[in-house]
Amino acid sequence: MKLLILGATGPTGRHLLDQALNAGHDVTALVRNVNRLTTTHPRLAAVSGDATDAALLERAIRGRDAVLSALGAGNSLISDIASRAVAALVPALKTGTVRRIIFLSAFGVGESVTQASSMQKLIYRTLLRLIFADKAKADAMLRESGLDWTLVYPTALTNGPRTGDYRVGEHLVMKGIAKISRADVAEFMLAQLDTDEWIHRTAVVSY
């Protein structure tokens, strides 16, 4: 497939990019700083710019089959990148023929917090409160977009290996601080290109 990946230089996005290329996909990576894109490949094209720029997104989407977003807030606890990116992405997608969007959010966002353990809830409602509020806003826009969206809600992300052995569901029982590796999250996101199972659904992913 021909893919547009957002957030390809981030800690999860790098796994997404490498796995997509290894799987034989043609990838356009929209990144703010191309110098941070360390991967080189004949099937990789880099576009420099802001993922909140609707006009740029519209151009980058042309000729693509799907969009995968691993955009993150970095070390910020007050970033609104998720909602600003989705606000630009939805109209950009609607101007063309691309309908498929696989979007990385987080477990604990919105109603998923009700599934969390007591320890998780404490973190989500204090330290991550503002970030998660912005993600909830972005997720709501995607759910109302009319596009073929899948929202991916990983639990605490680690830099562990790709195992292929994880749980996926709309509701998972949590104990303590549940975790999942970024590599396994990337694997799950790419697997959605070949199935309709999680279209218009929120997938909680965890060990």
Side-chain angles (χ1 to χ4, degrees):
M1 283 189 178
K2 296 180 178 180
L3 309 176
L4 173 64
I5 295 181
L6 308 179
T9 59
T12 304
R14 287 194 293 269
H15 288 285
L16 193 60
L17 175 61
D18 289 342
Q19 290 184 30
L21 291 170
N22 289 337
H25 298 293
D26 293 324
V27 178
T28 296
L30 174 58
V31 295
R32 184 182 294 274
N33 184 353
V34 294
N35 293 326
R36 292 186 58 200
L37 193 64
T38 56
T39 299
T40 59
H41 197 283
R43 284 185 276 101
L44 172 61
V47 176
S48 177
D50 194 322
T52 65
D53 183 334
L56 178 61
L57 284 168
E58 185 177 341
R59 293 193 296 272
I61 287 167
R62 289 173 189 163
R64 303 292 94 186
D65 298 307
V67 177
L68 298 98
S69 173
L71 288 170
N75 295 322
S76 173
L77 294 176
I78 58 173
S79 172
D80 62 352
I81 183 63
S83 63
R84 291 192 298 118
V86 171
L89 183 60
V90 168
L93 285 165
K94 287 186 173 181
T95 61
T97 59
V98 182
R99 295 187 53 80
R100 191 72 174 104
I101 167 73
I102 302 162
F103 197 85
L104 181 63
S105 184
F107 177 72
V109 171
E111 293 183 1
S112 72
V113 72
T114 61
Q115 303 173 47
S117 68
S118 297
M119 189 177 298
Q120 287 171 314
K121 287 177 181 176
L122 177 63
I123 296 171
Y124 300 156
R125 289 171 172 168
T126 55
L127 185 65
L128 299 177
R129 177 174 56 87
L130 296 179
I131 287 285
F132 277 23
D134 183 64
K135 287 181 180 291
K137 182 178 178 181
D139 295 355
M141 286 189 280
L142 281 172
R143 290 188 177 104
E144 297 167 2
S145 68
L147 298 169
D148 292 333
W149 53 268
T150 296
L151 286 166
V152 181
Y153 277 26
T155 50
L157 291 164
T158 77
N159 293 320
R162 178 181 177 183
T163 69
D165 184 15
Y166 46 84
R167 299 182 296 154
V168 183
E170 291 183 312
H171 301 277
L172 297 179
V173 176
M174 300 291 169
K175 294 181 180 180
I177 302 296
K179 299 178 180 180
I180 180 87
S181 74
R182 298 176 190 279
D184 276 334
V185 172
E187 177 186 279
F188 175 77
M189 291 177 71
L190 284 168
Q192 303 321 298
L193 296 171
D194 299 317
T195 178
D196 295 340
E197 180 181 2
W198 288 95
I199 288 180
H200 300 154
R201 297 175 67 191
T202 297
V204 178
V205 188
S206 184
Y207 294 136

